[in-house]
Amino acid sequence: MNWKFETISAGIEKQGIRDNDIQVFDQFRIPSVVRESIQNSLDAVLDDTKPVRVEFRYGDLDKAALASLFDIEARVKACHQDTHLGTEDQEVLDEMVSMIEKNSISVPFLKISDFNTLGMQKDRAYNAFAFSRNINHKQDDTSGGSKGMGKSAFFSNSYLRTILVSSLHAETGETLFQGIARLASHQFGGENYYFKGFFGNEDFLPTTSPPLGPLHTNFSRTEPGTTLGIIGVWEENSLEIEIQFVKAVLKSFWLAILNKKLEVKINSLLVDSTNVYDLVCTHWPDYQGNKTGENINPRQAIETYLELHEAEKFTASIPHLGQVTLTLCKYPEFNGTISYFRKSNMLIESNRKRGNSPHMGYAGVFVCEDSHGNQLLKRLENPRHDQWSAKNTKHAESKKALKSLEEFITKCYQDFYSIQLGATLILSKLNEFLQIDTGNHKATRNKSFEKLSRSIKPVKRTTKGGGGEKKIFGLRCFAQKNLEGQWVYQASFRGKENDPNACFEVLVGGDSEKAGKDNKIPVLAVNGIPIPEESNEIKVPVLSGRNQFTFVLDDSDKHSIRLKLI
């Protein structure tokens, strides 16, 4: 088997090494290859009563034993020798050639295999994968991919821009094997060659199986499914790389794993429904982290879905999207984001601005299970499948579906917090205070929730007291009734240092009080323990790190609360 590149003649458009499709994934190579490979496998499930299994395993290939495969390095160097390279192309190829010289004896590879999947049929799925660009062959409305660009994530992870594909199709039993490289148009041996090459038969078509030897050992298939080898990965296997893979799997696919649609093995570690929550807690011991993007913390989302705190699940059939569910959960340390999923159970985005309040202290998980709704939402996705936006499509109904989704989120949020005519809810994250006000205001018109949100004004910061900026931060407080009908206030914050003798003063304000006037109501109990003396002070030890306590006031009304560290 040898590499085969098509010769090109004058007038044929040339391709540089900076492939726009590949560059989309260059910034987040590992998360991208995790999302794209697992998404492809979930789209090709063979038996949906069992989980799809995807395995990631690192290895090394000896260059001397596979001289014909590693002839691709000479092609990369030929691209590098082009005298008309621009600065950016030169920089990319400098890095690629540097990696070739670094790995002079053996080349690291990443093997990605799936099980309980259909595999690829040569004339259909594989033809679209190997011989087309920006063409999506998937017909299932619930499939994850929709742009046909996802395969570029595999090439992005290879400094040789080279992959191997081996597949066994479940229905026909046919097998195939081929190598694919996406370089740049180049001159080699006096001829001009196309940017794309194939390792296999002379006719550019795949063979039936890998040749005997290391390729057969590592990439042959004995059961339905597909194995893909990324040859020449940028970063070799290490504990740090394994952690990146685990976290990428958990961030994007915790719901699919929890619902037993998916199992993932990373080298020797198996992630399944029995340990997915424990692994999330291991890698994210608290709720700190980005609200969106690659550094998102999924812990609040999985705890919301599991309803581990005060939660409510809303299920409805809404216009355009059909059957959807939204689980909302209250917890002081949650950051107010909602995670959005389609039927594949892959995370699309986490968002604080899509119909929900920009405030803190809650989280949500949205899932669309409807096939037609999934089709509309797919049209709204960007190439990396991590955003829904009306800007990504011209399809009219998809834009209407997005508006319907946002209206559903707003309605559920209002119902969850019982936001009604004349009621306001304030859940602002402040260093010192969090104010809650649900009093009935006179002459208040029924506003839309967006207008209501804009009308909420944050509590002013003070430099004296109010949380002791040097001692505690992130102080939040919310209230809910207990079985006895009492309002129980829960305060949470993070302490900078230990203070065993900390004391908070509880100040309350109501609608009838004049602005700026603080009122004092005695505290009945702290953490469920009655307070013998009449006082509005709470004495609790403050620890370095996360702290939390509850208290009950000697009053049946619910009040706006201010806590001052004194």
Side-chain angles (χ1 to χ4, degrees):
M1 298 177 69
N2 296 289
W3 283 102
K4 182 75 173 177
F5 286 78
E6 186 71 68
T7 56
I8 57 175
S9 56
I12 301 299
E13 185 177 30
K14 294 183 178 181
Q15 168 73 46
I17 196 67
R18 288 182 300 113
D19 188 315
N20 288 335
D21 291 356
I22 293 175
Q23 286 183 305
V24 167
F25 301 100
D26 275 348
Q27 187 178 1
F28 304 106
R29 288 189 174 117
I30 289 176
S32 295
V33 80
V34 165
R35 282 175 64 88
E36 295 300 328
S37 55
I38 295 179
Q39 173 182 276
N40 289 341
S41 299
L42 288 172
D43 290 345
V45 59
L46 179 61
D47 181 355
D48 59 12
T49 66
K50 301 176 181 178
V52 167
R53 181 162 173 154
V54 180
E55 297 184 356
F56 297 89
R57 184 178 68 81
Y58 274 87
D60 293 282
L61 294 173
D62 181 67
K63 291 172 75 168
L66 295 166
S68 60
L69 175 66
F70 290 107
D71 282 345
I72 195 65
E73 294 182 343
R75 297 283 185 161
V76 174
K77 292 177 180 178
C79 296
H80 189 233
Q81 291 165 3
D82 188 336
T83 57
H84 299 94
L85 289 175
T87 302
E88 292 184 49
D89 283 359
Q90 183 73 51
E91 290 174 353
V92 173
L93 284 161
D94 283 348
E95 286 187 89
M96 295 170 70
V97 171
S98 175
M99 292 297 292
I100 290 174
E101 293 171 350
K102 174 186 174 183
N103 298 313
S104 58
I105 305 299
S106 62
V107 174
F109 71 90
L110 172 64
K111 176 182 174 181
I112 308 169
S113 301
D114 62 26
F115 304 89
N116 187 30
T117 57
L118 290 168
M120 289 196 279
Q121 197 168 3
K122 183 171 66 176
D123 295 331
R124 299 190 64 184
Y126 183 74
N127 185 64
F129 180 87
F131 302 107
S132 67
R133 187 164 183 163
N134 297 344
I135 294 177
N136 174 33
H137 74 278
K138 299 172 183 178
Q139 302 297 318
D140 184 2
D141 292 338
T142 66
S143 63
S146 59
K147 308 297 181 186
M149 293 174 59
K151 57 196 171 191
S152 298
F154 303 117
F155 294 97
S156 171
N157 276 268
S158 168
Y159 67 80
L160 295 173
R161 295 278 181 87
T162 297
I163 64 173
L164 301 177
V165 184
S166 178
S167 191
L168 191 162
H169 192 252
E171 296 177 358
T172 64
E174 71 176 350
T175 58
L176 61 87
F177 173 81
Q178 190 169 40
I180 309 169
R182 280 171 57 175
L183 306 177
S185 303
H186 58 281
Q187 191 174 78
F188 190 78
E191 294 278 358
N192 291 316
Y193 287 96
Y194 196 52
F195 76 96
K196 194 171 185 178
F198 297 90
F199 183 73
N201 288 335
E202 291 294 316
D203 56 4
F204 294 94
L205 295 177
T207 62
T208 56
S209 63
L212 294 176
L215 295 184
H216 192 275
T217 300
N218 284 290
F219 300 106
S220 61
R221 296 287 310 196
T222 58
E223 60 181 288
T226 298
T227 294
L228 191 146
I230 299 176
I231 309 303
V233 288
W234 286 97
E235 296 181 87
E236 296 183 52
N237 187 36
S238 65
L239 178 59
E240 180 183 352
I241 292 298
E242 286 189 23
I243 290 174
Q244 287 187 43
F245 269 93
V246 173
K247 295 181 77 170
V249 168
L250 296 174
K251 283 185 287 189
S252 292
F253 296 100
W254 64 262
L255 184 59
I257 296 170
L258 195 64
N259 287 334
K260 299 182 180 180
K261 292 186 175 185
L262 174 69
E263 296 176 349
V264 181
K265 191 173 184 180
I266 300 143
N267 287 331
S268 60
L269 174 65
L270 177 64
V271 184
D272 61 16
S273 62
T274 66
N275 65 356
V276 61
Y277 176 62
D278 290 339
L279 286 169
V280 167
C281 293
T282 297
H283 290 284
W284 290 274
D286 55 33
Y287 304 101
Q288 304 302 308
N290 288 11
K291 302 173 182 65
T292 60
E294 293 299 335
N295 294 321
I296 189 172
N297 182 339
R299 181 164 175 176
Q300 66 173 13
I302 192 170
E303 290 188 358
T304 294
Y305 190 79
L306 291 170
E307 301 182 45
L308 298 185
H309 311 283
E310 181 187 355
E312 186 172 352
K313 182 173 288 187
F314 299 86
T315 301
S317 180
I318 65 176
H320 308 291
L321 288 180
Q323 191 77 7
V324 298
T325 61
L326 173 66
T327 305
L328 290 175
C329 184
K330 292 180 187 177
Y331 193 68
E333 295 200 29
F334 287 174
N335 60 24
T337 59
I338 294 179
S339 299
Y340 294 87
F341 296 82
R342 290 201 279 106
K343 198 170 184 177
S344 64
N345 283 188
M346 179 180 80
L347 175 69
I348 302 299
E349 64 176 15
S350 287
N351 199 310
R352 294 187 64 201
K353 301 178 181 179
R354 192 176 299 289
N356 53 306
S357 165
H359 301 125
M360 313 291 283
Y362 79 99
V365 175
F366 171 89
V367 184
C368 177
E369 295 287 351
D370 185 84
S371 294
H372 181 65
N374 271 260
Q375 185 179 21
L376 297 178
L377 290 172
K378 278 172 59 176
R379 293 175 178 268
L380 295 163
E381 290 171 18
N382 60 349
R384 294 185 69 237
H385 306 291
D386 59 6
Q387 178 200 60
W388 286 332
S389 173
K391 296 179 181 179
N392 294 331
T393 184
K394 295 181 179 180
H395 192 254
E397 190 182 2
S398 292
K399 294 182 178 183
K400 292 178 181 178
L402 191 60
K403 184 178 180 181
S404 180
L405 183 155
E406 292 173 349
E407 290 173 349
F408 172 69
I409 298 295
T410 298
K411 178 63 168 61
C412 293
Y413 180 86
Q414 291 172 323
D415 289 349
F416 187 56
Y417 279 107
S418 300
I419 299 174
Q420 299 168 349
L421 175 63
T424 60
L425 176 73
I426 297 176
L427 288 172
S428 299
K429 179 183 179 183
L430 304 170
N431 279 351
E432 291 82 22
F433 311 124
L434 183 140
Q435 176 179 338
I436 300 176
D437 179 4
T438 58
N440 292 321
H441 301 268
K442 296 180 180 179
T444 305
R445 291 181 296 172
N446 189 8
K447 304 177 183 179
S448 70
F449 185 69
E450 288 185 0
K451 292 180 180 178
L452 181 64
S453 297
R454 289 197 295 268
S455 72
I456 296 173
K457 296 180 180 179
V459 180
K460 293 182 180 179
R461 286 186 62 158
T462 60
T463 56
K464 183 179 179 181
E469 209 169 325
K470 293 183 179 180
K471 291 188 176 182
I472 68 171
F473 55 94
L475 177 60
R476 308 173 195 155
C477 184
F478 76 96
Q480 60 184 357
K481 281 190 175 182
N482 61 16
L483 295 176
E484 288 74 37
Q486 296 173 308
W487 285 107
V488 179
Y489 298 85
Q490 179 172 302
S492 66
F493 57 91
R494 299 187 71 82
K496 187 174 183 180
E497 56 189 28
N498 292 333
D499 183 356
N501 301 310
C503 183
F504 292 85
E505 184 178 19
V506 181
L507 303 173
V508 302
D511 301 325
S512 61
E513 286 92 21
K514 294 180 180 180
K517 182 180 179 182
D518 292 323
N519 292 271
K520 301 179 180 181
I521 297 178
V523 177
L524 284 181
V526 176
N527 291 329
I529 301 174
I531 302 299
E533 69 275 8
E534 185 174 300
S535 172
N536 72 318
E537 295 181 0
I538 296 175
K539 297 178 181 180
V540 290
V542 171
L543 304 177
S544 175
R546 179 183 170 191
N547 292 261
Q548 182 175 295
F549 64 84
T550 62
F551 60 95
V552 177
L553 298 179
D554 187 12
D555 194 272
S556 60
D557 293 331
K558 186 177 181 181
H559 295 278
S560 302
I561 297 294
R562 297 203 301 158
L563 291 175
K564 183 187 293 185
L565 184 62
I566 58 177

